[in-house]
Amino acid sequence: MARRAVKPPAPFEVIPAIDLLGGRCVRLSQGRYEEATIYGEDPAAVAGDFARHPIARLHVVDLDGAKAGRPINGEAVRGILARAAGVPVQLGGGVRSLDAVEEALAWGLDRVILGTVALRDPELVRTASQRHPGRIVVGIDAKEGHVAVEGWLETSETRAVELAPRFEAAGVGAIVYTDIARDGMLSGPNLDATAELADAVSIPVIVSGGVASEDDLVRAAALRDRGITGAIVGRALYTGAVELGSVLERVACC
């Protein structure tokens, strides 16, 4: 499918990720909860460290909420917001009703990510987007190209590249595309699949999963004209494989 004409690419966003499990900052490998690595007992302090850099936003995932089907780590999220120094924060994980959307935005979040309900209840996504234009993000997580839901515990028959265009006219702010096989593995993001999805829509697409180096982010930034407007990076920041200040300078020059 040919991608619709869009305005010139905006500056590429490098988006640090904070995943919450039991109130702690963790990273998973390929979405496996039993393989969580704890990187911080105080997610708010982690957010404060990231916010000292000129980042466009923070990406926060409530992993407990993704499994439970409702937000669980609200206290930790509010702590992150308090320490983020005005940096916009987007939240995903367990937000599956309009009431949950309204509550999360009332905390002061910039955007809310809807994942499972994008497949199960697309009308909810459209309604939320109409109420809050540009503040609803669709999260599409895929295993071998097929959409995974319920905290990545179930895989559907629907292909990611088929789901994304359903929200073309909904008014969503962005699509976050995650290749689960790459997530937390430091094996490089799946830029080919992400670009294929971005080609199918005019909605900005953010790549997630597998960033291992600054070069990965530079390669992603080079695809801005295909509609890839940002990349989420997690484990590579925590291990030191990516230095945030350095990579922000590099992608600014792309």
Side-chain angles (χ1 to χ4, degrees):
M1 181 184 299
R3 191 170 187 274
R4 298 183 185 182
V6 295
K7 62 184 179 181
F12 186 81
E13 297 182 356
V14 175
I15 307 171
I18 299 175
D19 288 0
L20 301 171
L21 188 65
R24 296 169 168 173
C25 176
V26 308
R27 295 301 295 172
L28 305 184
S29 296
Q30 298 180 326
R32 293 191 290 265
Y33 283 70
E34 68 275 12
E35 295 187 19
T37 302
I38 298 171
Y39 282 107
E41 298 286 340
D42 184 358
V46 175
D49 288 341
F50 289 145
R52 283 197 282 269
H53 297 272
I55 56 175
R57 68 187 69 251
L58 285 169
H59 176 80
V60 178
V61 178
D62 183 344
L63 293 172
D64 296 294
K67 289 181 69 175
R70 58 185 177 83
I72 298 294
N73 286 288
E75 182 178 354
V77 173
R78 290 188 290 272
I80 288 169
L81 288 165
R83 292 284 293 277
V87 173
V89 178
Q90 62 186 30
L91 172 71
V95 183
R96 297 179 191 171
S97 70
L98 283 175
D99 286 345
V101 169
E102 300 290 350
E103 180 182 6
L105 291 175
W107 293 342
L109 289 161
D110 178 60
R111 304 198 298 199
V112 172
I113 302 167
L114 301 181
T116 293
V117 295
L119 180 66
R120 300 274 172 83
D121 189 1
E123 190 56 35
L124 187 152
V125 177
R126 297 186 184 97
T127 300
S129 297
Q130 290 168 2
R131 291 189 183 183
H132 305 283
R135 301 184 69 188
I136 303 301
V137 174
V138 171
I140 299 180
D141 308 323
K143 290 182 178 179
E144 297 181 355
H146 289 83
V147 179
V149 295
E150 305 292 344
W152 299 355
L153 301 177
E154 299 178 19
T155 304
S156 73
E157 295 298 318
T158 303
R159 295 183 66 233
V161 75
E162 297 169 345
L163 179 61
R166 299 177 189 177
F167 302 102
E168 184 65 57
V172 301
I175 292 172
V176 173
Y177 177 75
T178 304
D179 184 326
I180 295 171
R182 307 289 184 101
D183 191 70
M185 302 305 292
L186 299 176
S187 56
N190 190 338
L191 294 179
D192 289 340
T194 307
E196 179 188 7
L197 185 143
D199 285 341
V201 295
S202 61
I203 304 166
V205 175
I206 298 168
V207 62
S208 175
V211 171
S213 68
E214 294 182 15
D215 287 345
D216 286 337
L217 293 164
V218 172
R219 283 191 288 270
L223 295 171
R224 280 182 298 168
D225 61 346
R226 300 272 301 269
I228 297 178
T229 61
I232 293 168
V233 55
R235 190 182 295 270
L237 284 174
Y238 296 103
T239 63
V242 170
E243 199 284 311
L244 190 54
S246 171
V247 77
L248 286 170
E249 291 182 359
R250 291 185 66 186
V251 299
C253 297
C254 293

